[in-house]
Amino acid sequence: MKYGHFDDNSREYVITNPRTPWPWINYLGNEDFFSLMSNTAGGYTFYKDAKFRRLTRYRYNNVPMDNGGKYFYINDGGTIWSPGWKPVKTELDSYECRHGMSYTKIKGAKNGVEAEVLFFVPLKTWAEVQKVKLSNTTKEVKKLKLFSFVEWCLWNAEDDMANFQRNFSTGEVEIEGSVLYHKTEYKERRNHFAYYGVNTPINGYDTDRESFVGLYNGFEAPQVVTEGKPRNTEAHGWSPIASHYIEVELKPGESKDFIFVLGYVENEEEDKWESKLVINKTKAKETLAKFDSVAKVEAALAELRLYWDNLLSIYTVESGDERLDRMVNIWNQYQCMVTFNMSRSASFFESGIGRGMGFRDSNQDLVGFVHQIPSRARERIFDIASTQFEDGGCYHQYQPLTKRGNNAVGGNFNDDPLWLILSTTAYIKETGDYSLLDEMVPFDNDETRAKTHFEHLKASFYHVVNNLGPHKLPLIGRADWNDCLNLNCFSKNPNESFQTTENKSGGTAESVMIAGLFVVYGRDYIELCKKIGKNDEAAEAQKHVDAMVETIKTQGWDGEWYLRAYDYFGRKIGTNEAEESKIFIESQGWCTMAGIGLEDGMVEKSLNAVKERLDTPHGIVLNNPAFTKYYIEYGEISTYPAGYKENAGIFCHNNPWIIIGETVLGRGDRAYDYWQKIAPAFREEISDLHKVEPYVYAQMIAGKDAFKPGEAKNSWLTGTAAWNYYAITQFILGIKPAYDGLQVEPCIPAAWKGFKVTRKFRGATYVIDVKNPNGVQKGVKSLKVDGKDVAGNIIPIMPEGKTYQVEVILG
Ligand code: BGC
Ligand code: NOJ
């Protein structure tokens, strides 16, 4: 069953039933100021960092679900309703939510009144704009009472949910005209406050939650709204909120617009005050003035649209299948921007408190984002590299506000350093800008310990070389990509985290996955060294990569597939000899991508084993058979019930590794089949089962051993976004940025007659028409640029500013 439909022309998903199987959300904001917005207007807002600068409060895992947000209440002669159905839940005469590129439009109608709310964060603005349009479609005059509502969070979202002995006494507000200011803690250590204003005089307000909602009411029936009368309260401690009250009279057929602005301001120390204890509101007023008319708001929205037009014009495909086109042209790229912005911090599954920007996560996110805004990718690469140590190791995550590494989710994940090679080479291939390699980048955020960025890559490479175990495979450390394969942990204490606890020292557990990863990114490192004339270094690195290939063949092969790891005691993991979890996806992915043993049939055997043992109708599971009991020596992986998360769930992040592996073999039919199974737009019809949004990937779909196979969780913030974008655009459609041009290497289903990709690359536009007259899956027979034959499969870099027609014949 579906709950809406795609509107590709508007680049929107249109939800027509508010009772989605889970809140289906969107993100507003592109750089510093963000909101999460569900289809019923639930969610919250923050500046840069969802933990340290939370503007509005949100209660995760609430009852009912997704309670709390940016609410409007309409009291129409005693009938009370909200345009997004929630929180009041009065049955609406019509409802529609359009999630678009960085904006959401929610429209509801009741008894001849239509209310449309547009929510967005204008570019370069620290504020969310909400345009409310009320229309009277009846033949009578309508006298409406409109109430807005947001609940302030006391900045630190973690403390806000925990420290009530203090928090109930700290809240402070100011009220001036139609603007309600939230200034808790401003007088001491904060230089920031928030505000919520509207571009029209108001007839009242409330800033104290208890007075507005009523101590024993819920958001569905605030007492002020049911009574139809504000109390004009000024909050002192307890829970500050902001609610405007506006009396609206609409003649038959008349519409009125109201523009609300929810914003954030930072003041310099010397400019903090207007007068004693009165905050300096200049900046807030400037922002309010920028959006005080419909024309200004529409212009800002048009600017936002243009911004997305540009971003989404860089890679577009026409394949003949609208589901594929909308994934590649719209939604997957959009999700990649969101994961770039958020890493794994704030979603409806990530609370914005526990996890900041992940070292491995943010590096991987860049392969889905670098073509969009390379300058931001460049800056991010440095932010990440700055949290590395001289030996190549790194903090596992850093806080977006401070950009400082923290140990909140542990360290010593030995795959981490290698991902920096992926992001850096992806950046150079996209832009041709090698200059970032010479930039001085600190270690451990300490400027006095800076070295060139190239030295960071070198440190990454040698971190593996310098940390090999008894089989000469990479030591796994706390874990590799799979955070839950904790081979040195041995945890018996439920009060400790598998990621931060390392009970047994001196462990020699090794990872075949890191070994494969090392071969792939080691080769990239070598290629880069050669490009910049570091031939001695390239030759030295080559020896280590060659040795690793041999080691995998001898120590990392189980006979029919690649082993996963060696445990603390040097015993094999992911072997046919085991009772449970005989085979794992990660090492099959990385070793097939690396083509290890291709000539000996190892790649084919491994991928056939994946097909036979891991493939399901909903995607490829992580391991099989699932663990059914706790293995203290394996850690968190065996804590999950069978079929969920890392224990035999369909981890959509690593399905593309197999997809790319299949393209190494040239099996386009299979690669595409795997992709379709997890691509959300292809799962729209089973939204009831899939549960989360049909427009963005989820991290996990329950596997075949699960209670409910096919049910997805953890949508939005997942490496799945970047990896699937990378797999479909660069390995299936096969248009790959390379150092010296645009490489064309499609691997497609044999039945495809062809497809067309338009790619903007280094200042020129290439219209690439791929034809498949002989029904092959892979192989470029000829390539012509503007009618001229080009040898090989790389479109050379052409002069900027022009469009080139490229004809590619497969065969
Ligand atoms: C999850 C992993 C996640 C890790 C983060 C685990 O509980 O299963 O997917 O990467 O937490 O610390
Ligand atoms: C989610 C984490 O964000 C990512 O870093 C990790 O690789 C996967 N889970 C697998 O455990």
Side-chain angles (χ1 to χ4, degrees):
M1 179 183 161
K2 300 206 295 179
Y3 290 80
H5 56 268
F6 287 93
D7 176 349
D8 295 337
N9 285 336
S10 312
R11 296 192 299 235
E12 291 169 338
Y13 192 80
V14 188
I15 300 163
T16 47
N17 178 350
R19 292 173 174 87
T20 46
W22 183 254
W24 285 2
I25 74 162
N26 194 13
Y27 285 81
L28 318 179
N30 294 294
E31 239 163 291
D32 293 335
F33 189 96
F34 300 101
S35 297
L36 281 68
M37 166 73 44
S38 77
N39 59 307
T40 55
Y44 61 94
T45 291
F46 60 94
Y47 167 78
K48 279 194 182 170
D49 191 311
K51 177 173 178 181
F52 290 128
R53 289 288 186 281
R54 185 86 61 107
L55 268 70
T56 63
R57 183 169 290 149
Y58 192 72
R59 295 168 188 79
Y60 277 85
N61 204 0
N62 209 345
V63 178
M65 184 56 197
D66 185 30
N67 221 23
K70 317 292 177 47
Y71 291 146
F72 290 96
Y73 298 91
I74 295 166
N75 184 331
D76 175 7
T79 302
I80 295 166
W81 58 283
S82 294
W85 180 58
K86 282 184 74 180
V88 182
K89 290 191 282 182
T90 298
E91 273 324 303
L92 298 176
D93 298 335
S94 72
Y95 159 90
E96 184 185 272
C97 165
R98 290 179 170 261
H99 284 317
M101 304 289 104
S102 310
Y103 68 87
T104 288
K105 249 188 228 170
I106 296 179
K107 199 155 87 177
K110 183 79 191 166
N111 297 344
V113 175
E114 233 180 60
E116 183 183 282
V117 193
L118 161 73
F119 300 90
F120 73 111
V121 174
L123 294 171
K124 310 273 175 223
T125 304
W126 292 357
E128 173 185 310
V129 170
Q130 307 164 345
K131 182 168 82 67
V132 180
K133 186 184 204 69
L134 296 179
S135 310
N136 178 2
T137 60
T138 70
K139 299 214 155 56
E140 275 109 60
V141 171
K142 282 275 186 186
K143 288 190 176 174
L144 308 172
K145 297 174 173 182
L146 174 69
F147 297 86
S148 68
F149 175 82
V150 301
E151 183 181 11
W152 300 117
C153 179
L154 305 180
W155 305 116
N156 179 331
E158 185 170 32
D159 190 67
D160 183 72
M161 287 291 168
N163 193 5
F164 303 104
Q165 61 81 24
R166 171 177 162 81
N167 296 345
F168 284 161
S169 292
T170 57
E172 288 188 290
V173 299
E174 266 184 47
I175 299 144
E176 193 189 280
S178 302
V179 192
L180 310 168
Y181 295 88
H182 175 229
K183 60 170 186 179
T184 299
E185 293 187 339
Y186 183 76
K187 75 176 175 320
E188 0 35 278
R189 296 175 299 172
R190 297 189 181 276
N191 66 344
H192 43 270
F193 62 81
Y195 59 93
Y196 191 34
V198 58
N199 69 336
T200 179
I202 54 177
N203 305 93
Y205 58 84
D206 274 287
T207 66
D208 173 58
R209 189 183 78 202
E210 195 174 318
S211 311
F212 178 80
V213 178
L215 189 53
Y216 298 105
N217 297 29
F219 293 134
E220 75 287 351
Q223 62 187 14
V224 155
V225 177
T226 30
E227 287 163 7
K229 220 167 90 203
R231 299 195 176 185
N232 299 332
T233 50
E234 183 178 316
H236 295 278
W238 297 112
S239 304
I241 58 147
S243 170
H244 305 91
Y245 168 66
I246 306 173
E247 291 170 358
V248 187
E249 191 173 305
L250 293 176
K251 293 192 212 73
E254 194 186 9
S255 294
K256 279 187 183 156
D257 292 282
F258 304 90
I259 299 158
F260 294 83
V261 175
L262 170 68
Y264 171 89
V265 157
E266 281 182 1
N267 280 334
E268 297 297 323
E269 195 55 38
E270 55 283 10
D271 290 328
K272 275 180 79 167
W273 304 102
E274 186 178 305
S275 58
K276 184 153 193 251
L277 295 185
V278 178
I279 60 177
N280 177 354
K281 307 180 179 68
T282 315
K283 289 185 183 170
K285 288 179 182 167
E286 281 167 11
T287 303
L288 286 159
K290 273 194 188 164
F291 306 104
D292 62 0
S293 72
V294 171
K296 289 182 192 174
V297 170
E298 274 167 6
L301 185 68
E303 230 184 294
L304 184 64
R305 256 189 226 288
L306 190 64
Y307 171 85
W308 277 106
D309 286 346
N310 286 331
L311 293 183
L312 298 179
S313 68
I314 298 165
Y315 192 125
T316 51
V317 63
E318 290 164 56
S319 70
D321 186 329
E322 60 178 10
R323 295 166 303 176
L324 164 62
D325 292 1
R326 66 171 64 110
M327 283 312 314
V328 169
N329 298 343
I330 306 171
W331 290 98
N332 198 174
Q333 298 204 52
Y334 182 57
Q335 188 179 2
C336 285
M337 163 71 96
V338 171
T339 56
F340 169 80
N341 284 330
M342 300 287 135
S343 196
R344 305 298 170 266
S345 66
S347 71
F348 269 34
F349 295 85
E350 299 281 8
S351 65
I353 290 172
R355 304 176 65 202
M357 315 296 282
F359 192 100
R360 76 156 82 90
D361 295 328
S362 288
N363 274 310
Q364 290 172 77
D365 290 346
L366 285 168
V367 294
F369 176 77
V370 64
H371 66 290
Q372 297 188 35
I373 313 180
S375 59
R376 289 190 72 195
R378 191 179 201 267
E379 186 190 336
R380 174 64 53 79
I381 289 171
F382 294 143
D383 289 348
I384 299 171
S386 304
T387 64
Q388 196 175 25
F389 306 115
E390 274 101 337
D391 74 351
C394 58
Y395 288 100
H396 196 49
Q397 74 164 32
Y398 68 94
Q399 215 49 47
L401 189 71
T402 60
K403 297 188 174 178
R404 300 245 146 197
N406 67 43
N407 277 322
V409 285
N412 293 328
F413 294 84
N414 282 349
D415 64 313
D416 270 341
L418 289 172
W419 302 109
L420 190 63
I421 301 178
L422 166 67
S423 62
T424 304
T425 52
Y427 170 82
I428 301 175
K429 286 178 187 167
E430 180 66 36
T431 58
D433 168 23
Y434 290 84
S435 74
L436 93 164
L437 296 173
D438 303 322
E439 293 283 337
M440 297 299 280
V441 183
F443 285 102
D444 198 3
N445 294 107
D446 178 351
E447 295 292 344
T448 64
R449 287 152 68 192
K451 284 195 183 153
T452 63
H453 186 65
F454 178 79
E455 289 298 323
H456 282 260
L457 299 187
K458 191 168 175 186
S460 291
F461 181 86
Y462 286 99
H463 188 264
V464 174
V465 176
N466 295 333
N467 288 283
L468 299 179
H471 300 89
K472 298 275 176 264
L473 288 163
L475 290 171
I476 200 167
R478 202 181 291 276
D480 59 25
W481 171 89
N482 190 333
D483 279 335
C484 299
L485 192 62
N486 316 113
L487 303 183
N488 297 309
C489 186
F490 296 82
S491 180
K492 283 189 182 152
N493 175 358
N495 302 325
E496 65 194 13
S497 146
F498 285 97
Q499 274 82 45
T500 52
T501 309
E502 199 168 310
N503 288 338
K504 267 202 197 304
S505 58
T508 54
E510 297 163 287
S511 164
V512 178
M513 181 207 149
I514 301 182
L517 191 72
F518 175 75
V519 173
V520 173
Y521 296 127
R523 288 183 185 142
D524 281 358
Y525 174 69
I526 293 164
E527 189 188 9
L528 179 66
C529 287
K530 288 184 184 158
K531 281 273 156 216
I532 57 174
K534 291 191 189 292
N535 293 323
D536 291 348
E537 174 54 19
E540 177 61 26
Q542 188 69 54
K543 287 188 217 150
H544 297 292
V545 170
D546 291 346
M548 191 64 80
V549 170
E550 285 315 306
T551 305
I552 297 174
K553 283 187 181 175
T554 54
Q555 309 295 319
W557 183 248
D558 192 52
E560 294 297 319
W561 55 79
Y562 304 96
L563 292 170
R564 175 63 178 87
Y566 285 93
D567 72 8
Y568 183 89
F569 307 102
R571 300 178 307 204
K572 293 179 205 166
I573 301 181
T575 164
N576 206 8
E577 293 155 24
E579 217 177 289
E580 299 191 321
S581 291
K582 289 168 178 284
I583 172 170
F584 286 74
I585 196 171
E586 302 98 323
S587 42
Q588 315 316 317
W590 283 99
C591 296
T592 59
M593 279 193 270
I596 289 166
L598 183 66
E599 59 293 348
D600 307 325
M602 286 162 82
V603 170
E604 193 176 348
K605 274 192 184 163
S606 153
L607 291 173
N608 289 348
V610 168
K611 178 76 191 152
E612 189 190 326
R613 292 169 186 258
L614 303 181
D615 184 31
T616 82
H618 298 287
I620 311 167
V621 297
L622 193 146
N623 51 306
N624 181 263
F627 291 114
T628 57
K629 53 185 195 221
Y630 180 44
Y631 293 78
I632 194 170
E633 68 276 29
Y634 297 164
E636 187 173 357
I637 190 167
S638 59
T639 66
Y640 283 117
Y644 292 98
K645 290 282 281 180
E646 280 87 343
N647 185 15
I650 295 155
F651 234 81
C652 300
H653 182 148
N654 51 30
N655 278 226
W657 300 345
I658 299 299
I659 294 173
I660 298 173
E662 287 288 354
T663 68
V664 170
L665 281 187
R667 300 201 293 208
D669 281 318
R670 203 173 269 183
Y672 192 68
D673 181 55
Y674 283 144
W675 178 72
Q676 276 188 3
K677 287 181 176 174
I678 56 169
F682 288 76
R683 300 175 60 80
E684 190 194 11
E685 297 288 342
I686 52 162
S687 285
D688 263 351
L689 172 64
H690 185 73
K691 202 170 169 97
V692 293
E693 298 89 338
Y695 41 91
V696 290
Y697 289 95
Q699 180 203 50
M700 186 217 50
I701 301 173
K704 56 184 171 180
D705 311 283
F707 171 67
K708 209 175 189 188
E711 183 185 66
K713 289 184 186 138
N714 204 0
S715 51
W716 284 98
L717 303 187
T718 160
T720 308
W723 270 100
N724 278 284
Y725 183 73
Y726 188 49
I728 184 81
T729 59
Q730 299 201 28
F731 293 88
I732 293 180
L733 300 172
I735 311 298
K736 292 182 205 175
Y739 290 112
D740 300 317
L742 207 45
Q743 192 176 5
V744 184
E745 201 174 23
C747 183
I748 56 174
W752 281 18
K753 297 278 169 260
F755 61 90
K756 194 191 258 185
V757 166
T758 304
R759 180 66 156 94
K760 291 189 183 158
F761 183 65
R762 305 217 199 149
T765 301
Y766 301 89
V767 180
I768 308 166
D769 202 353
V770 178
K771 296 203 168 78
N772 188 20
N774 300 324
V776 300
Q777 297 179 64
K778 197 175 178 179
V780 169
K781 198 163 102 188
S782 70
L783 189 154
K784 282 194 172 101
V785 179
D786 276 351
K788 285 195 204 94
D789 281 322
V790 171
N793 67 354
I794 297 187
I795 306 169
I797 293 161
M798 305 295 285
E800 293 187 16
K802 292 204 186 120
T803 298
Y804 301 91
Q805 303 298 326
V806 181
E807 194 187 271
V808 180
I809 311 280
L810 305 182

PDB file of all heavy atoms in Angstrom, residues 361-378:
ATOM      1  N   ASP A 361      32.353   7.563   8.571  1.00  0.00           N
ATOM      2  CA  ASP A 361      31.067   7.896   7.959  1.00  0.00           C
ATOM      3  C   ASP A 361      31.186   9.115   7.054  1.00  0.00           C
ATOM      4  O   ASP A 361      30.748   9.111   5.911  1.00  0.00           O
ATOM      5  CB  ASP A 361      30.019   8.148   9.045  1.00  0.00           C
ATOM      6  CG  ASP A 361      29.730   6.887   9.859  1.00  0.00           C
ATOM      7  OD1 ASP A 361      29.819   5.791   9.291  1.00  0.00           O
ATOM      8  OD2 ASP A 361      29.425   7.015  11.053  1.00  0.00           O
ATOM      9  N   SER A 362      31.774  10.178   7.589  1.00  0.00           N
ATOM     10  CA  SER A 362      31.820  11.419   6.804  1.00  0.00           C
ATOM     11  C   SER A 362      32.737  11.287   5.590  1.00  0.00           C
ATOM     12  O   SER A 362      32.467  11.889   4.552  1.00  0.00           O
ATOM     13  CB  SER A 362      32.252  12.586   7.689  1.00  0.00           C
ATOM     14  OG  SER A 362      31.180  12.881   8.560  1.00  0.00           O
ATOM     15  N   ASN A 363      33.798  10.521   5.705  1.00  0.00           N
ATOM     16  CA  ASN A 363      34.617  10.289   4.511  1.00  0.00           C
ATOM     17  C   ASN A 363      33.813   9.585   3.422  1.00  0.00           C
ATOM     18  O   ASN A 363      33.843   9.973   2.259  1.00  0.00           O
ATOM     19  CB  ASN A 363      35.843   9.432   4.864  1.00  0.00           C
ATOM     20  CG  ASN A 363      36.999  10.277   5.372  1.00  0.00           C
ATOM     21  OD1 ASN A 363      37.365  11.269   4.747  1.00  0.00           O
ATOM     22  ND2 ASN A 363      37.565   9.896   6.495  1.00  0.00           N
ATOM     23  N   GLN A 364      33.091   8.554   3.826  1.00  0.00           N
ATOM     24  CA  GLN A 364      32.316   7.819   2.819  1.00  0.00           C
ATOM     25  C   GLN A 364      31.200   8.680   2.240  1.00  0.00           C
ATOM     26  O   GLN A 364      30.899   8.615   1.051  1.00  0.00           O
ATOM     27  CB  GLN A 364      31.750   6.539   3.427  1.00  0.00           C
ATOM     28  CG  GLN A 364      32.816   5.503   3.722  1.00  0.00           C
ATOM     29  CD  GLN A 364      32.256   4.318   4.491  1.00  0.00           C
ATOM     30  OE1 GLN A 364      31.593   3.457   3.925  1.00  0.00           O
ATOM     31  NE2 GLN A 364      32.508   4.280   5.786  1.00  0.00           N
ATOM     32  N   ASP A 365      30.587   9.495   3.092  1.00  0.00           N
ATOM     33  CA  ASP A 365      29.496  10.350   2.599  1.00  0.00           C
ATOM     34  C   ASP A 365      29.962  11.215   1.429  1.00  0.00           C
ATOM     35  O   ASP A 365      29.170  11.588   0.570  1.00  0.00           O
ATOM     36  CB  ASP A 365      28.990  11.273   3.724  1.00  0.00           C
ATOM     37  CG  ASP A 365      28.233  10.506   4.800  1.00  0.00           C
ATOM     38  OD1 ASP A 365      27.880   9.336   4.559  1.00  0.00           O
ATOM     39  OD2 ASP A 365      28.006  11.078   5.887  1.00  0.00           O
ATOM     40  N   LEU A 366      31.226  11.538   1.426  1.00  0.00           N
ATOM     41  CA  LEU A 366      31.724  12.457   0.398  1.00  0.00           C
ATOM     42  C   LEU A 366      31.645  11.886  -1.019  1.00  0.00           C
ATOM     43  O   LEU A 366      31.537  12.651  -1.977  1.00  0.00           O
ATOM     44  CB  LEU A 366      33.162  12.881   0.722  1.00  0.00           C
ATOM     45  CG  LEU A 366      33.241  13.904   1.855  1.00  0.00           C
ATOM     46  CD1 LEU A 366      34.671  14.081   2.329  1.00  0.00           C
ATOM     47  CD2 LEU A 366      32.673  15.244   1.421  1.00  0.00           C
ATOM     48  N   VAL A 367      31.681  10.571  -1.186  1.00  0.00           N
ATOM     49  CA  VAL A 367      31.606  10.059  -2.568  1.00  0.00           C
ATOM     50  C   VAL A 367      30.234  10.291  -3.179  1.00  0.00           C
ATOM     51  O   VAL A 367      30.066  10.207  -4.389  1.00  0.00           O
ATOM     52  CB  VAL A 367      32.005   8.571  -2.732  1.00  0.00           C
ATOM     53  CG1 VAL A 367      33.466   8.364  -2.418  1.00  0.00           C
ATOM     54  CG2 VAL A 367      31.105   7.650  -1.958  1.00  0.00           C
ATOM     55  N   GLY A 368      29.261  10.594  -2.343  1.00  0.00           N
ATOM     56  CA  GLY A 368      27.940  10.912  -2.889  1.00  0.00           C
ATOM     57  C   GLY A 368      27.700  12.408  -2.971  1.00  0.00           C
ATOM     58  O   GLY A 368      26.658  12.858  -3.448  1.00  0.00           O
ATOM     59  N   PHE A 369      28.652  13.172  -2.483  1.00  0.00           N
ATOM     60  CA  PHE A 369      28.412  14.613  -2.365  1.00  0.00           C
ATOM     61  C   PHE A 369      29.421  15.473  -3.112  1.00  0.00           C
ATOM     62  O   PHE A 369      29.109  16.590  -3.530  1.00  0.00           O
ATOM     63  CB  PHE A 369      28.424  15.005  -0.879  1.00  0.00           C
ATOM     64  CG  PHE A 369      28.293  16.477  -0.642  1.00  0.00           C
ATOM     65  CD1 PHE A 369      27.061  17.101  -0.767  1.00  0.00           C
ATOM     66  CD2 PHE A 369      29.400  17.261  -0.333  1.00  0.00           C
ATOM     67  CE1 PHE A 369      26.928  18.467  -0.584  1.00  0.00           C
ATOM     68  CE2 PHE A 369      29.284  18.630  -0.150  1.00  0.00           C
ATOM     69  CZ  PHE A 369      28.040  19.241  -0.276  1.00  0.00           C
ATOM     70  N   VAL A 370      30.621  14.942  -3.309  1.00  0.00           N
ATOM     71  CA  VAL A 370      31.716  15.798  -3.792  1.00  0.00           C
ATOM     72  C   VAL A 370      31.395  16.504  -5.109  1.00  0.00           C
ATOM     73  O   VAL A 370      31.805  17.640  -5.323  1.00  0.00           O
ATOM     74  CB  VAL A 370      33.039  14.986  -3.882  1.00  0.00           C
ATOM     75  CG1 VAL A 370      32.943  13.863  -4.908  1.00  0.00           C
ATOM     76  CG2 VAL A 370      34.206  15.884  -4.201  1.00  0.00           C
ATOM     77  N   HIS A 371      30.615  15.871  -5.975  1.00  0.00           N
ATOM     78  CA  HIS A 371      30.294  16.531  -7.254  1.00  0.00           C
ATOM     79  C   HIS A 371      29.341  17.707  -7.056  1.00  0.00           C
ATOM     80  O   HIS A 371      29.265  18.580  -7.896  1.00  0.00           O
ATOM     81  CB  HIS A 371      29.684  15.520  -8.230  1.00  0.00           C
ATOM     82  CG  HIS A 371      28.344  15.005  -7.793  1.00  0.00           C
ATOM     83  ND1 HIS A 371      28.187  14.161  -6.707  1.00  0.00           N
ATOM     84  CD2 HIS A 371      27.101  15.231  -8.262  1.00  0.00           C
ATOM     85  CE1 HIS A 371      26.910  13.890  -6.554  1.00  0.00           C
ATOM     86  NE2 HIS A 371      26.218  14.530  -7.481  1.00  0.00           N
ATOM     87  N   GLN A 372      28.616  17.688  -5.932  1.00  0.00           N
ATOM     88  CA  GLN A 372      27.624  18.753  -5.741  1.00  0.00           C
ATOM     89  C   GLN A 372      28.300  20.080  -5.379  1.00  0.00           C
ATOM     90  O   GLN A 372      28.116  21.073  -6.068  1.00  0.00           O
ATOM     91  CB  GLN A 372      26.621  18.369  -4.647  1.00  0.00           C
ATOM     92  CG  GLN A 372      25.790  17.140  -4.995  1.00  0.00           C
ATOM     93  CD  GLN A 372      24.671  16.885  -3.984  1.00  0.00           C
ATOM     94  OE1 GLN A 372      24.080  17.799  -3.439  1.00  0.00           O
ATOM     95  NE2 GLN A 372      24.357  15.638  -3.716  1.00  0.00           N
ATOM     96  N   ILE A 373      29.045  20.083  -4.285  1.00  0.00           N
ATOM     97  CA  ILE A 373      29.726  21.322  -3.879  1.00  0.00           C
ATOM     98  C   ILE A 373      31.158  20.956  -3.459  1.00  0.00           C
ATOM     99  O   ILE A 373      31.439  20.756  -2.261  1.00  0.00           O
ATOM    100  CB  ILE A 373      28.991  22.030  -2.720  1.00  0.00           C
ATOM    101  CG1 ILE A 373      27.490  22.107  -3.004  1.00  0.00           C
ATOM    102  CG2 ILE A 373      29.575  23.438  -2.495  1.00  0.00           C
ATOM    103  CD1 ILE A 373      26.671  22.781  -1.925  1.00  0.00           C
ATOM    104  N   PRO A 374      32.062  20.865  -4.421  1.00  0.00           N
ATOM    105  CA  PRO A 374      33.420  20.402  -4.102  1.00  0.00           C
ATOM    106  C   PRO A 374      34.112  21.252  -3.034  1.00  0.00           C
ATOM    107  O   PRO A 374      34.883  20.723  -2.236  1.00  0.00           O
ATOM    108  CB  PRO A 374      34.158  20.510  -5.437  1.00  0.00           C
ATOM    109  CG  PRO A 374      33.095  20.539  -6.480  1.00  0.00           C
ATOM    110  CD  PRO A 374      31.865  21.107  -5.853  1.00  0.00           C
ATOM    111  N   SER A 375      33.824  22.547  -2.985  1.00  0.00           N
ATOM    112  CA  SER A 375      34.524  23.380  -1.996  1.00  0.00           C
ATOM    113  C   SER A 375      34.139  22.982  -0.566  1.00  0.00           C
ATOM    114  O   SER A 375      34.967  23.007   0.340  1.00  0.00           O
ATOM    115  CB  SER A 375      34.215  24.856  -2.231  1.00  0.00           C
ATOM    116  OG  SER A 375      32.821  25.056  -2.143  1.00  0.00           O
ATOM    117  N   ARG A 376      32.891  22.609  -0.387  1.00  0.00           N
ATOM    118  CA  ARG A 376      32.496  22.158   0.957  1.00  0.00           C
ATOM    119  C   ARG A 376      33.106  20.793   1.262  1.00  0.00           C
ATOM    120  O   ARG A 376      33.452  20.495   2.410  1.00  0.00           O
ATOM    121  CB  ARG A 376      30.969  22.090   1.090  1.00  0.00           C
ATOM    122  CG  ARG A 376      30.304  23.460   1.121  1.00  0.00           C
ATOM    123  CD  ARG A 376      28.841  23.368   1.487  1.00  0.00           C
ATOM    124  NE  ARG A 376      28.643  23.040   2.893  1.00  0.00           N
ATOM    125  CZ  ARG A 376      27.488  22.626   3.400  1.00  0.00           C
ATOM    126  NH1 ARG A 376      26.431  22.483   2.618  1.00  0.00           N
ATOM    127  NH2 ARG A 376      27.378  22.345   4.685  1.00  0.00           N
ATOM    128  N   ALA A 377      33.239  19.984   0.238  1.00  0.00           N
ATOM    129  CA  ALA A 377      33.868  18.667   0.439  1.00  0.00           C
ATOM    130  C   ALA A 377      35.319  18.854   0.867  1.00  0.00           C
ATOM    131  O   ALA A 377      35.818  18.188   1.776  1.00  0.00           O
ATOM    132  CB  ALA A 377      33.792  17.853  -0.850  1.00  0.00           C
ATOM    133  N   ARG A 378      35.981  19.813   0.240  1.00  0.00           N
ATOM    134  CA  ARG A 378      37.391  20.078   0.548  1.00  0.00           C
ATOM    135  C   ARG A 378      37.547  20.487   2.019  1.00  0.00           C
ATOM    136  O   ARG A 378      38.397  19.976   2.742  1.00  0.00           O
ATOM    137  CB  ARG A 378      37.882  21.204  -0.375  1.00  0.00           C
ATOM    138  CG  ARG A 378      39.374  21.430  -0.383  1.00  0.00           C
ATOM    139  CD  ARG A 378      39.666  22.564  -1.373  1.00  0.00           C
ATOM    140  NE  ARG A 378      41.049  22.556  -1.836  1.00  0.00           N
ATOM    141  CZ  ARG A 378      42.030  23.251  -1.271  1.00  0.00           C
ATOM    142  NH1 ARG A 378      41.784  24.001  -0.230  1.00  0.00           N
ATOM    143  NH2 ARG A 378      43.265  23.181  -1.748  1.00  0.00           N
TER     144      ARG A 378
END
